[in-house]
Amino acid sequence: GAFTASVNSPVCPHDTIFFQASASSGAVSYEWIGLSNAFYSQLQNPVTIADSSMAGTYTVIAHSVNGCISLQPQSVTVVVLPEPQVYIGPDTMVCMVPVYFLTASGNYPSYIWHDNTPGPQYPAQQTGLYSVMVTDSNGCHGYDSAYIEVIRCGPQAMNIFTPNSDGERKTEWCD
């Protein structure tokens, strides 16, 4: 009978790899063996999580009732795509004014920030953890985050208390 094997490849890092073996008749057990790593499974359709070590060739053997290898072993190849690299800078302290914009590195089709704001730049207007997810043209995701402390500093801190922002405190009378 026919014996086939397949895998969903290429895959992104952290995606699920689905190995599938199918025999029209005669097979009662299966063995999957990773030729370039230590992967081994006796499941007919094993599932695992993709990382760079999972790239390579896998052979599946079908065994019949009497334990013989009943059918020609099949091979599949797993390609694990690279994870997109993105960097938004180190944890840092910034002034409230002017507004500090985090800029995510790279040139990706999609940038989504922690609050679902799109685009490669994001204004850090309050203290907290900022994070971005990028998606590359293969649909793979990369992530980065930074803790930004936003403080009042310099003459801006004084301008908060001055009516005309000249840095001098004085009373202005209105008609």
Side-chain angles (χ1 to χ4, degrees):
F3 177 41
T4 60
S6 64
V7 68
N8 59 318
S9 179
V11 292
C12 296
H14 317 292
D15 281 358
T16 303
I17 301 173
F18 297 96
F19 295 96
Q20 294 185 300
S22 157
S24 58
S25 65
V28 294
S29 67
Y30 298 85
E31 283 184 280
W32 285 90
I33 302 156
L35 301 182
S36 58
N37 57 35
F39 184 83
Y40 179 82
S41 176
Q42 292 183 320
L43 297 173
Q44 179 178 352
N45 300 314
V47 172
T48 189
I49 300 301
D51 66 36
S52 59
S53 74
M54 295 303 296
T57 302
Y58 296 78
T59 295
V60 60
I61 301 165
H63 298 276
S64 63
V65 174
N66 61 11
C68 297
I69 296 174
S70 59
L71 301 162
Q72 180 70 33
Q74 298 291 308
S75 292
V76 297
T77 300
V78 172
V79 173
V80 180
L81 298 166
E83 186 168 352
Q85 299 300 307
V86 61
Y87 183 62
I88 62 172
D91 293 355
T92 190
M93 186 184 295
V94 299
C95 292
M96 188 178 288
V97 178
V99 172
Y100 178 77
F101 281 86
L102 291 161
T103 301
S105 65
N107 185 18
Y108 298 105
S110 172
Y111 294 81
I112 303 293
W113 294 86
H114 54 278
D115 63 357
N116 291 322
T117 299
Q121 290 196 317
Y122 190 91
Q125 295 176 297
Q126 60 189 29
T127 296
L129 186 66
Y130 292 81
S131 59
V132 69
M133 177 183 75
V134 296
T135 305
D136 68 12
S137 56
N138 294 315
C140 297
H141 301 296
Y143 306 87
D144 193 29
S145 62
Y147 186 82
I148 308 299
E149 188 173 347
V150 180
I151 61 167
R152 294 179 174 165
C153 42
Q156 293 91 348
M158 285 186 59
N159 288 349
I160 293 164
F161 306 109
T162 64
N164 63 359
S165 299
D166 66 359
E168 293 180 28
R169 292 186 196 188
K170 59 183 170 242
T171 305
E172 293 186 359
W173 299 99
C174 299
D175 293 336

